[in-house]
């Protein structure tokens, strides 16, 4: 497995693969990998003969008040996990390589990024789309795999690819959960045992919501109310609970087609997100 740190070197490697008729799938990550990421690697392997995992903690998607400095890192373990899943290369640039200091161009999505996480994190998705565009330019992939836990992120990247004609097919993988239902996330590491126990209320509330819908409940407000209550009774501070159209991400009042229930909530200082499709 190659570890590549320079953009030019990554591009040269990707061009070589392409010239030889190879297909490249990239799995963009911020490292501290877990089974959720590895499930994306497995999907990548089904589509391409060369899998690249990018590991870069992207500063431009963190607000000054957020957890950039304490974002968990374990590059050695990440490498071991990637080796064990037969990843071909890790692209691991440093900050100076990605943002040499005089950058002044951003990729900004102006509709899907306004709601949900964008409401409390107004500069977050600008950082995500910019870095993902840069990672695509570095790794020149045919396919890029993203997790559905970051549902809004995946929708925005799909829109970026469509609107800017990136020759990349976006594929998403389902949310991967711990055996007790907690959605896997690098941020789970911040939770104390007590907070982790209480944070299970998110996935439990989403499952209860699904049951209500299966029993015929269609009023979004009632379902949202139930989720809010369950999370706050467990000591969580809800950032948002919304039922949205699966494509436009617009909030729905009534559920009468494919919808997504999306949640963001704090347990202690840790902000968790989760969602289910209904
Ligand atoms: O989902 C993530 O880990 C990040 O937002 C991404 C897509 C790697 C961009 O930094």
């Amino acid at each position: 497995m190659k570890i590549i740190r320079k953009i030019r070197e990554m591009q040269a490697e990707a061009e070589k693969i392409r010239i030889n008729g190879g297909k490249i799938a990239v799995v963009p990550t911020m490292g501290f990998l877990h089974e959720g990421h590895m499930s994306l690697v497995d999907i990548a392997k089904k589509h391409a003969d060369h899998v690249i995992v990018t590991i870069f903690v992207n500063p431009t998607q963190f607000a000054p008040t957020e957890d950039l400095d304490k974002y968990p890192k374990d590059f050695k373990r990440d490498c071991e996990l990637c080796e064990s899943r037969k990843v071909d290369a890790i692209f691991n640039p440093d900050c100076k390589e990605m943002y040499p200091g005089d950058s002044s161009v951003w990729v900004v999505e102006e509709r899907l990024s306004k709601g949900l996480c964008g409401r409390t994190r107004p500069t977050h998705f600008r950082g995500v789309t910019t870095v993902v565009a840069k990672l695509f330019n570095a790794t020149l992939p045919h396919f890029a795999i993203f997790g559905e836990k970051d549902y809004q992120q995946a929708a925005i990247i799909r829109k970026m690819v469509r609107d800017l004609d990136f020759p990349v097919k976006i594929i998403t993988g389902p949310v991967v959960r711990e055996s007790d239902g907690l959605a896997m996330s690098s941020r789970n590491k911040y939770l104390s045992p007590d907070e982790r126990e209480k944070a299970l209320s998110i996935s439990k509330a989403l499952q209860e919501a699904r049951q209500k819908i299966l029993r015929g409940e269609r009023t979004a407000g009632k379902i949202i109310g139930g989720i809010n209550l369950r999370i706050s009774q467990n000591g969580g501070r809800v950032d948002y609970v919304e039922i949205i159209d699966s494509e436009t991400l617009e909030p729905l009042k009534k559920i009468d087609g494919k919808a997504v229930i999306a949640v963001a909530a704090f347990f202690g200082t840790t902000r968790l997100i989760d969602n289910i499709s209904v």
Side-chain angles (χ1 to χ4, degrees):
M1 186 180 70
K2 293 185 174 158
I3 296 175
I4 299 174
R5 305 208 194 257
K6 298 289 175 206
I7 294 169
R8 293 281 169 263
E9 204 185 311
M10 186 67 256
Q11 286 169 332
E13 178 69 20
E15 269 161 14
K16 205 168 71 197
I17 296 168
R18 282 178 162 260
I19 285 166
N20 290 326
K23 293 274 185 240
I24 301 172
V26 68
V27 181
T29 81
M30 297 208 297
F32 209 69
L33 304 177
H34 49 68
E35 264 316 299
H37 296 113
M38 291 300 115
S39 71
L40 303 180
V41 167
D42 293 343
I43 294 173
K45 291 199 88 72
K46 292 201 178 109
H47 288 86
D49 40 29
H50 285 79
V51 174
I52 301 168
V53 171
T54 72
I55 298 182
F56 176 63
V57 182
N58 173 37
T60 64
Q61 69 190 74
F62 290 79
T65 50
E66 291 177 348
D67 53 357
L68 171 64
D69 289 339
K70 66 176 181 95
Y71 197 83
K73 291 185 188 69
D74 192 341
F75 188 68
K76 188 167 167 282
R77 191 171 158 274
D78 290 348
C79 289
E80 284 162 9
L81 271 174
C82 287
E83 281 266 26
S84 74
R85 297 295 246 267
K86 307 224 171 334
V87 167
D88 297 277
I90 292 181
F91 178 51
N92 175 229
D94 67 12
C95 238
K96 274 222 298 286
E97 180 70 5
M98 290 298 275
Y99 299 108
D102 58 351
S103 313
S104 55
V105 176
W106 295 94
V107 179
V108 184
E109 194 289 325
E110 296 196 321
R111 197 174 307 144
L112 304 181
S113 53
K114 296 280 187 229
L116 302 169
C117 292
R119 213 167 289 123
T120 46
R121 307 184 75 196
T123 57
H124 172 68
F125 288 116
R126 175 184 85 157
V128 171
T129 41
T130 302
V131 83
V132 170
K134 286 170 73 66
L135 293 169
F136 286 176
N137 282 337
T139 57
L140 308 177
H142 299 84
F143 304 95
I145 328 294
F146 293 89
E148 280 163 18
K149 185 174 79 65
D150 297 287
Y151 192 89
Q152 186 178 16
Q153 168 173 282
I156 291 168
I157 289 166
R158 219 181 268 116
K159 192 73 179 15
M160 173 187 90
V161 162
R162 205 192 74 187
D163 287 2
L164 300 184
D165 309 306
F166 278 89
V168 181
K169 187 166 167 35
I170 303 299
I171 296 166
T172 57
V175 181
V176 178
R177 298 181 182 281
E178 305 284 356
S179 55
D180 55 10
L182 187 70
M184 286 193 187
S185 163
S186 306
R187 289 195 165 92
N188 291 350
K189 177 188 154 62
Y190 301 145
L191 297 167
S192 68
D194 181 51
E195 286 165 352
R196 194 194 174 289
E197 189 58 35
K198 290 177 169 159
L200 291 176
S201 59
I202 300 181
S203 53
K204 285 186 180 145
L206 287 171
Q207 284 312 322
E208 282 164 9
R210 172 178 277 148
Q211 291 308 319
K212 280 187 195 162
I213 294 166
L214 287 175
R215 287 197 300 269
E217 182 60 79
R218 291 290 176 268
T219 309
K222 285 197 187 155
I223 297 162
I224 291 171
I227 299 173
N228 263 310
L229 188 67
R230 169 73 114 142
I231 294 174
S232 45
Q233 276 174 344
N234 280 277
R237 181 163 61 81
V238 173
D239 180 358
Y240 64 77
V241 178
E242 286 195 38
I243 302 186
I244 52 170
D245 178 274
S246 61
E247 303 239 318
T248 64
L249 310 190
E250 288 296 324
L252 299 173
K253 287 208 165 72
K254 279 250 173 292
I255 303 164
D256 53 14
K258 267 173 95 190
V260 173
I261 312 180
V263 175
F266 288 87
F267 284 83
T269 53
T270 306
R271 185 175 182 278
L272 302 175
I273 58 172
D274 199 349
N275 68 80
I276 52 165
S277 295
V278 287

